[in-house]
């Protein structure tokens, strides 16, 4: 079924966030031109704050060198019983699910007697792939097939799987994820050391499908190899991103996932943080996933993420900021990650009505004559090349080799990409405020590179 | 492990409380500063110069702004009502 972008919502955002403000700024500015100047200072400061944060995170991620490749890269700590839960909406993922299950059973380095793989899925119809999966479950005692009747969400699937999970460590994966063999050992290092949840690094494996998936692959490297670990290193806290996350079993059973939330992963992270549990990001725990190959799929995926973050912010912001479990630096970071993240798209977009109002009033904008604007513009323009360069330095060898020339292109296109993501965020906020909570799950398509994993030398899929 | 909210509030370290207050105060101060600017002053002039002299422009902008605002309010309330009706249908 062909889905259309929410053009109506995009038009409404244009009216509410651009056209009406343009009118208001023009009218106020006609009475007092200084108003536009103050607004200019405000918008420049908003851009500068976000850009400084981006650079600080990137610098923190850069200073901490990745572990040396060698014996010490694979921890020797013995792992306890481990359960990998794969959540799937089978109609969307029937093409790739066998590959994922076989990868987990054949490639994970956990001893056979200590590994359990649960596929918790829902489907409105009976699909041919279910017979194959049932046969696999009969042949391999480590594999549990769980059709969750009445489930409509990933959260319900995972909650149902918890009743069957035997492991002390529970990993959650989406149906397209192919984690590296030593993921449980690496996660257990932290869990044994007092942490409760470890979030690994997600990389894109179908990057070769199109120019769009190449850019998303670099974006993911930038998020998972630089921004998340940078924040984790700066503040000793992190967020569970929904997949390639490793939970202490009793903590996941206490927190569970809330099926009513659009981004049940972010919601569970925040509830865990508020309850005083400790989360950490480890970029050495790599798992490959598939990027959406069509712009429409990308839009709906990002819209759901943005609306989910907005929902979590509205629900938990107060409790998050007043939690007794955070120090001042962590409180500031969570303020930046939630409240600031939500107001940033609307505030940064005000540059457009500001310029339009100045044009209507025939007012002159001194872009270069003012040192403050010069400085904030320089910092803003610098942030994209800085984070891209550091991403290049900290990326996996595959991405460095294959995407070499795409990095400068990504740095150049980044400002436009950020504007696009801000638009998606505003559309998501608008839809949430008008009560449009229906969402579309992201279809996983086997692209040219999607059929076989190629990212990591130790990530050999069955049959490779 | 989860503490009751009232107890959490009692246990908030003073530094965090101060930080929260400072952030709120800063927000209010910046908003006041932006919305009520001085008419004149020795600021670094970033935006200046002739405010439009076309007489029709400001009434046209005012009219368009009011029209768009009314349209947005009507659309948003219609969509909210439709969403509530859909949710009620889903529950029944």
């Amino acid at each position: 079924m062909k889905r259309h972008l929410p053009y109506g919502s995009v038009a409404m955002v244009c009216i509410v966030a651009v056209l009406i403000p343009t009118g208001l700024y023009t009218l106020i500015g006609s009475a007092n031109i200084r108003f536009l100047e103050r607004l200019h200072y405000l918008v420049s400061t908003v851009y500068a704050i976000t850009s400084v944060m981006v650079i600080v995170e990137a610098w923190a991620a850069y200073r901490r060198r990745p572990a040396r490749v060698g014996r010490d890269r694979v921890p020797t700590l013995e792992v306890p019983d481990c359960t990998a839960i794969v959540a799937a909406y089978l109609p969307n993922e029937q093409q790739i699910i066998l590959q994922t299950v076989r990868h987990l059973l054949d490639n994970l380095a956990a001893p056979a007697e200590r590994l359990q793989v649960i596929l918790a899925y829902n489907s409105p119809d009976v699909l041919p792939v279910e017979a194959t999966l049932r046969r696999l479950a009969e042949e391999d005692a480590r594999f549990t097939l769980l059709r969750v009747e009445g489930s409509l969400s990933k959260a319900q699937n995972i909650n149902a799987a918890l009743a069957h999970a035997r492991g002390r460590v529970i990993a959650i994966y989406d149906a397209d994820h192919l984690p590296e063999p030593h993921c449980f050992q690496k996660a257990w290092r932290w869990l044994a050391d007092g942490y409760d949840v470890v979030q690994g690094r997600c990389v894109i494996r179908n990057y070769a499908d199109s120019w769009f998936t190449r850019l998303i692959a670099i974006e993911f490297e930038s998020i998972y190899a630089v921004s998340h670990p940078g924040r984790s290193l700066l503040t000793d806290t992190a967020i569970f991103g929904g997949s390639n996350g490793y939970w202490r079993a009793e903590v996941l059973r206490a927190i569970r996932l809330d099926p009513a939330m659009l981004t049940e992963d972010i919601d569970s992270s925040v509830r865990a943080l508020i309850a005083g549990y400790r989360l950490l990001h480890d970029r050495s725990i790599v798992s490959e996933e598939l990027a959406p190959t069509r712009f429409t799929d990308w839009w709906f995926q990002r819209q759901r993420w943005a609306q989910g973050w907005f929902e979590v912010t509205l629900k938990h912001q107060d409790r998050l900021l007043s939690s007794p479990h955070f120090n001042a630096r962590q409180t500031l970071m969570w303020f930046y990650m939630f409240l600031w993240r939500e107001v940033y798209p609307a505030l940064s977009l005000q540059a457009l009505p500001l310029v339009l109002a100045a044009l209507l009033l025939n007012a002159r904008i001194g872009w270069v004559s003012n040192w403050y604007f010069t400085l904030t513009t320089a910092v803003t323009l610098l942030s994209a090349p800085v984070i891209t360069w550091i991403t290049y330095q900290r990326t996996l060898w595959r991405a460095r080799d294959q995407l070499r020339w795409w990095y400068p292109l990504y740095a150049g296109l980044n400002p436009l990409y950020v504007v696009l993501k801000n638009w998606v965020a505003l559309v998501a906020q608008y839809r949430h405020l008008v009560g449009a909570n229906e969402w579309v799950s992201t279809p996983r398509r086997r692209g040219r590179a999607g059929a076989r994993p190629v990212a990591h030398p130790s990530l050999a899929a069955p049959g490779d | 492990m989860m503490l009751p909210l009232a107890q959490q509030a009692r246990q908030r370290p003073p530094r965090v409380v101060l930080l929260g207050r400072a952030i709120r105060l800063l927000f209010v101060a910046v908003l006041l500063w932006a919305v009520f600017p001085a008419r004149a002053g020795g600021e670094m002039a970033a935006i200046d110069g002739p405010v439009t002299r076309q007489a029709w422009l400001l009434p046209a902008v005012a009219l368009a702004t009011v029209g768009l605002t009314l349209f947005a309010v009507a659309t948003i309330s219609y969509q909210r009502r439709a969403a509530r009706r859909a949710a009620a249908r889903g529950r029944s």
Side-chain angles (χ1 to χ4, degrees):
Chain A
M1 189 177 72
K2 187 165 168 55
R3 292 169 298 158
H4 296 287
L5 294 179
Y7 295 114
S9 300
V10 174
M12 282 305 292
V13 165
C14 190
I15 290 171
V16 173
V18 178
L19 296 181
I20 293 176
T22 301
L24 289 175
Y25 301 162
T26 308
L27 296 172
I28 301 173
S30 69
N32 184 352
I33 195 70
R34 288 272 166 263
F35 170 76
L36 290 190
E37 189 172 77
R38 294 283 168 97
L39 200 62
H40 197 165
Y41 277 111
L42 196 64
V43 172
S44 305
T45 309
V46 164
Y47 274 106
I49 289 173
T50 298
S51 303
V52 166
M53 282 300 292
V54 165
I55 292 170
V56 168
E57 287 166 9
W59 186 247
Y62 177 72
R63 276 179 54 204
R64 183 68 63 96
R65 298 189 66 79
R68 268 188 308 124
V69 177
R71 271 183 310 177
D72 60 346
R73 184 128 189 224
V74 178
T76 51
L77 203 60
E78 201 172 320
V79 290
D81 289 352
C82 301
T83 298
I85 299 178
V86 180
Y89 174 60
L90 218 48
N92 270 6
E93 285 143 346
Q94 53 186 319
Q95 286 189 348
I96 57 168
I97 195 64
L98 270 174
Q99 181 192 28
T100 303
V101 172
R102 286 203 169 119
H103 173 85
L104 292 170
L105 291 170
D106 297 345
N107 291 46
L108 291 192
E113 69 279 8
R114 294 200 174 154
L115 177 66
Q116 180 192 24
V117 176
I118 301 177
L119 171 60
Y121 71 95
N122 61 308
S123 174
D125 307 309
V126 176
L127 300 168
V129 73
E130 288 178 83
T132 317
L133 288 164
R134 265 198 300 278
R135 267 202 309 281
L136 190 59
E138 285 161 9
E139 288 165 8
D140 195 326
R142 295 173 301 166
F143 178 48
T144 305
L145 184 65
L146 183 65
R147 183 185 172 105
V148 186
E149 297 297 342
S151 165
L152 293 170
S153 67
K154 174 181 170 180
Q156 286 170 304
N157 291 348
I158 290 171
N159 288 342
L162 288 179
H164 300 263
R166 296 190 296 266
R168 277 178 64 197
V169 180
I170 297 178
I172 296 176
Y173 300 111
D174 284 342
D176 57 333
H177 269 254
L178 304 179
E180 64 159 298
H182 296 284
C183 53
F184 277 111
Q185 281 90 338
K186 289 180 179 179
W188 180 243
R189 284 182 307 192
W190 299 108
L191 299 177
D193 201 34
Y195 285 91
D196 300 294
V197 185
V198 179
Q199 173 62 49
R201 169 181 185 171
C202 303
V203 300
I204 298 298
R205 73 169 178 277
N206 62 331
Y207 62 90
D209 279 0
S210 66
W211 65 269
F212 192 53
T213 52
R214 285 184 178 91
L215 294 181
I216 295 176
I218 297 175
E219 182 199 12
F220 264 59
E221 287 290 336
S222 152
I223 293 170
Y224 281 98
V226 178
S227 298
H228 282 332
R231 279 194 289 271
S232 195
L233 289 166
L234 281 171
T235 58
D236 192 24
T237 181
I239 207 137
F240 163 58
S243 198
N244 198 25
Y246 302 80
W247 290 69
R248 211 181 265 285
E250 67 271 20
V251 176
L252 185 55
R253 287 202 171 90
I255 295 291
R256 297 173 73 84
L257 303 187
D258 184 351
M261 300 298 285
L262 280 169
T263 47
E264 66 292 322
D265 45 3
I266 307 304
D267 172 70
S268 64
S269 306
V270 172
R271 286 187 291 111
L273 288 163
I274 290 170
Y277 294 115
R278 295 178 68 200
L279 283 75
L280 172 129
H281 192 282
D282 182 344
R283 64 180 164 194
S284 78
I285 306 173
V286 179
S287 179
E288 299 180 329
E289 65 170 285
L290 296 172
T293 50
R294 295 179 187 169
F295 179 74
T296 320
D297 295 336
W298 174 89
W299 179 286
F300 283 112
Q301 182 190 54
R302 298 303 168 99
Q303 185 181 295
R304 181 167 58 82
W305 290 354
Q307 195 168 341
W309 275 77
F310 186 53
E311 188 183 29
V312 171
T313 304
L314 292 178
K315 190 174 177 184
H316 295 302
Q317 182 70 48
D318 282 349
R319 292 173 66 199
L320 195 65
L321 290 186
S322 59
S323 169
H325 303 294
F326 302 147
N327 57 33
R329 191 186 277 206
Q330 287 168 332
T331 306
L332 203 59
M333 206 275 281
W334 290 123
F335 166 78
Y336 170 75
M337 282 293 287
F338 284 92
L339 200 55
W340 183 261
R341 187 179 179 282
E342 295 305 332
V343 297
Y344 177 73
L347 287 179
S348 60
L349 190 64
Q350 294 316 296
L352 186 56
L354 171 69
V355 171
L356 290 176
L359 285 175
L360 282 172
L361 292 172
N362 203 19
R364 285 189 301 269
I365 301 181
W367 295 107
V368 288
S369 58
N370 179 298
W371 66 266
Y372 187 76
F373 295 142
T374 309
L375 183 70
T376 50
T377 306
V379 169
T380 304
L381 292 177
L382 203 64
S383 64
V386 166
I387 193 171
T388 308
W389 180 73
I390 290 176
T391 302
Y392 183 74
Q393 296 297 319
R394 289 290 169 263
T395 199
L396 294 179
W397 65 267
R398 176 278 314 253
R400 271 176 90 139
D401 278 5
Q402 302 292 327
L403 301 172
R404 189 179 297 270
W405 297 109
W406 289 86
Y407 280 85
L409 185 67
Y410 177 81
L413 290 176
N414 190 271
L416 291 177
Y417 191 51
V418 169
V419 170
L420 180 65
K421 286 196 287 189
N422 285 344
W423 269 99
V424 175
L426 287 173
V427 169
Q429 289 176 357
Y430 173 78
R431 292 178 65 79
H432 194 75
L433 292 175
V434 298
N437 288 327
E438 79 279 8
W439 56 273
V440 184
S441 61
T442 311
R444 310 291 183 188
R445 295 187 173 86
R446 287 165 65 141
R448 280 191 287 131
R452 61 173 52 210
V454 289
H456 197 277
S458 56
L459 264 181
D464 272 9
Chain B
M1 195 142 185
M2 174 92 80
L3 293 169
L5 280 182
Q7 203 180 333
Q8 278 189 25
R10 274 201 302 278
Q11 289 191 355
R12 283 166 68 184
R15 226 168 23 152
V16 174
V17 177
L18 280 177
L19 185 71
R21 282 183 192 159
I23 289 171
R24 286 191 192 104
L25 266 176
L26 190 69
F27 256 150
V28 174
V30 168
L31 272 178
L32 289 174
W33 173 78
V35 176
F36 300 106
R39 274 190 177 275
E43 298 194 40
M44 299 164 284
I47 295 185
D48 216 338
V51 172
T52 183
R53 293 188 190 87
Q54 289 158 315
W56 57 269
L57 185 77
L58 291 179
V61 169
L63 201 64
T65 306
V66 170
L68 284 172
T69 307
L70 289 176
F71 172 74
V73 169
T75 308
I76 289 169
S77 32
Y78 169 77
Q79 287 182 332
R80 283 179 71 90
R81 276 201 305 276
R84 273 200 296 272
R85 274 200 301 273
R89 267 202 307 277
R91 279 196 296 274
S92 60

